[in-house]
Amino acid sequence: MQTQIAIAGAGLAAALTALRLLSRPDCPSVILADPAPLTGRTWSFHEHDISASDREWLAPAVAYQWAGQDVRFPGNIRSLRAGYATITPTSMAGALRHPQLTMMQARVQSLSPDHMLLDDGTRIDTRCVIDARGIVAHPAMDIAFQKFLGQEVELDAPHGLTRPIIMDATVDQVDGYRFVYVLPFGPNRLLIEDTRYSDTATLSAEGVRAAIGEYANSQGWTITRILAEEQGALPLMLGFDPKAFWADAHLPRIGMRAAQFHPVTGYSLPDAVRTSAVVEAHWHKGSDALAHAIRQDALSRTTRFYRLLNRMLFRAADPAQRRHVMNRFYRLPEPLIERFYAGRTTPADMARILIGKPPVPIRRALRALPERISDV
Ligand SMILES: Cc1cc2nc3c(=O)[nH]c(=O)nc-3n(C[C@H](O)[C@H](O)[C@H](O)COP(=O)(O)OP(=O)(O)OC[C@H]3O[C@@H](n4cnc5c(N)ncnc54)[C@H](O)[C@@H]3O)c2cc1C
């Protein structure tokens, strides 16, 4: 078989990259190979995470969008103006229907700069190969976790929400910083996710399902049916050695495979959109040139400040204090919050976030300042 671009994996990063390429009038032929393409999760983003021009080609993949969002902390209930949007596997699959795209339900065995080999022995010759097979542990990363379980549920009556609750942190604090995330998918339909910022990746699914039921009851909602469930433990970066990470990246990598996610949220959609522009600009030069361009782009971004904040949250703050840190953040001006999630925090924002009486013990804050990667 032959194609111009062969992508191993058909998760978020692969799908976004394909979508951008397919939106071009001169789009190349693309093959995505994955044993379980586009499965098991919804992907959301804040309006300001993505530029207006990128939102145009992304639009066909968006299933839901809202004009604002809310956060709830003890003593701080706040409505924010920033829009929010969600892509589902179904909406993404619909947007990717295109004669130039072939989706193969197959596991990739190996990759080389000029071909991709599938488990069944099929060889796909290509000008450009891309590795989008999701996250792998790497010694250059020191991570904690945002772990969660979410249920899409149907209620017996309308819930009345018109916008997402991005964080309802008025709930009991267990296993680190805990909050509930609620997306209104329809008048009687919600995605309710119970999330914890924790030192460990393990989560008792039964316990969290019960907690979601209790939360729904506390809001006066009666769940009549569970339509879907998703679970994750997203990496939150406390320390990172980019040079060590990229030293052995000889083939182009995108998405979580390229450690491209927001260190404080574990969300990768905005970074994947940005990297898709690098693919668009360089794929035609071949795999080696694209690998070089992606590495250069990655090394030009600095996420050092976000990693410092994570160390303050996980190393300096007691688990019980983490909510206090987040509550303080959510009292800051909206443009600063928007830039934070978009990964565009300015030096003035950094000063603003750090200024004032630190909500963590000063001695422990000082100890958390240096960035050490335990295993490198
Ligand atoms: C439940 C959940 C919800 C999330 N929600 C959001 C969100 O709302 N917003 C956001 O920005 N981020 C979110 N994330 C975080 C992150 O953006 C996602 O994990 C995202 O899917 C990562 O994209 P990716 O393409 O790098 O990896 P993935 O989407 O994980 O895709 C990797 C793909 O590679 C495939 N694969 C693995 N090995 C092989 C192989 N040998 N051959 C072929 N294919 C292979 C896998 O089957 C998989 O489909 C969420 C994560 C989870 C787990």
Side-chain angles (χ1 to χ4, degrees):
M1 284 181 85
Q2 276 206 330
T3 185
Q4 286 172 294
I5 303 180
I7 307 186
L12 178 65
L16 289 172
T17 301
L19 194 60
R20 178 190 280 270
L21 294 166
L22 298 176
S23 71
R24 290 176 61 98
D26 59 345
C27 65
S29 53
V30 184
I31 288 182
L32 306 185
D34 191 320
L38 299 175
T39 41
R41 61 195 67 163
T42 53
W43 299 285
S44 301
F45 59 96
H46 302 271
E47 182 191 356
H48 295 92
D49 292 353
I50 313 286
S51 70
S53 60
D54 284 335
R55 284 206 301 274
E56 263 175 44
W57 59 261
L58 202 53
V62 171
Y64 305 100
Q65 51 191 330
W66 301 273
Q69 50 181 283
D70 294 342
V71 291
R72 299 179 180 174
F73 288 87
N76 178 19
I77 309 273
R78 191 168 178 197
S79 284
L80 299 164
R81 64 180 184 188
Y84 203 66
T86 298
I87 296 172
T88 64
T90 310
S91 63
M92 181 61 95
L96 285 176
R97 239 170 258 132
H98 193 286
Q100 286 290 80
L101 180 98
T102 307
M103 185 78 83
M104 298 182 74
Q105 195 165 346
R107 190 178 169 280
V108 173
Q109 194 183 89
S110 63
L111 295 172
S112 306
D114 63 353
H115 73 271
M116 180 159 92
L117 197 62
L118 304 184
D119 258 2
D120 66 3
T122 307
R123 179 186 161 114
I124 300 168
D125 290 305
T126 184
R127 175 152 195 77
C128 182
V129 83
I130 298 175
D131 189 354
R133 286 176 292 177
I135 193 148
V136 278
H138 196 287
M141 293 190 239
D142 186 6
I143 56 175
F145 301 92
Q146 180 196 168
K147 59 191 183 185
F148 56 89
L149 185 144
Q151 291 184 325
E152 191 181 330
V153 299
E154 197 174 77
L155 308 179
D156 70 339
H159 45 70
L161 292 182
T162 54
R163 41 210 268 150
I165 307 169
I166 297 300
M167 284 184 180
D168 186 344
T170 57
V171 293
D172 289 345
Q173 296 298 289
V174 285
D175 200 1
Y177 167 52
R178 173 177 173 235
F179 64 90
V180 178
Y181 167 86
V182 185
L183 300 183
F185 282 169
N188 289 38
R189 227 152 41 90
L190 293 171
L191 174 70
I192 308 178
E193 254 170 34
D194 189 306
T195 304
R196 289 116 199 244
Y197 270 49
S198 172
D199 298 312
T200 65
T202 50
L203 195 64
S204 150
E206 273 317 306
V208 180
R209 285 183 193 118
I212 289 174
E214 280 164 28
Y215 180 79
N217 288 340
S218 74
Q219 304 298 307
W221 302 328
T222 303
I223 297 175
T224 50
R225 209 150 58 103
I226 292 162
L227 306 168
E229 191 170 283
E230 65 178 26
Q231 189 169 354
L234 308 187
L236 306 179
M237 198 96 86
L238 275 66
F240 186 49
D241 180 344
K243 289 210 174 100
F245 179 83
W246 285 100
D248 58 358
H250 304 299
L251 291 173
R253 293 178 189 171
I254 59 172
M256 302 297 270
R257 197 70 166 193
Q260 289 181 348
F261 53 88
H262 194 299
V264 181
T265 64
Y267 273 23
S268 72
L269 193 147
D271 280 348
V273 167
R274 174 174 160 148
T275 309
S276 69
V278 181
V279 175
E280 182 184 28
H282 295 277
W283 74 266
H284 63 280
K285 299 176 202 159
S287 299
D288 292 341
L290 178 60
H292 179 74
I294 291 176
R295 188 168 50 239
Q296 292 305 106
D297 179 63
L299 290 173
S300 74
R301 309 185 203 184
T302 174
T303 56
R304 196 183 297 255
F305 175 71
Y306 301 115
R307 302 197 299 266
L308 169 68
L309 290 185
N310 275 346
R311 293 197 298 282
M312 292 297 154
L313 199 59
F314 284 91
R315 302 274 184 262
D318 284 327
Q321 283 175 314
R322 287 178 194 158
R323 174 167 66 177
H324 186 48
V325 175
M326 298 303 294
N327 192 356
R328 185 173 178 270
F329 171 75
Y330 265 112
R331 290 176 186 275
L332 293 169
E334 284 191 51
L336 179 152
I337 295 171
E338 288 158 10
R339 286 192 294 272
F340 183 87
Y341 282 114
R344 291 196 297 268
T345 299
T346 64
D349 293 340
M350 293 179 196
R352 186 76 201 265
I353 290 169
L354 294 175
I355 222 154
K357 185 178 174 303
V360 295
I362 192 76
R363 256 169 205 272
R364 287 174 60 182
L366 288 173
R367 260 187 273 136
L369 281 179
E371 183 164 5
R372 293 190 200 94
I373 296 137
S374 32
D375 299 324
V376 169

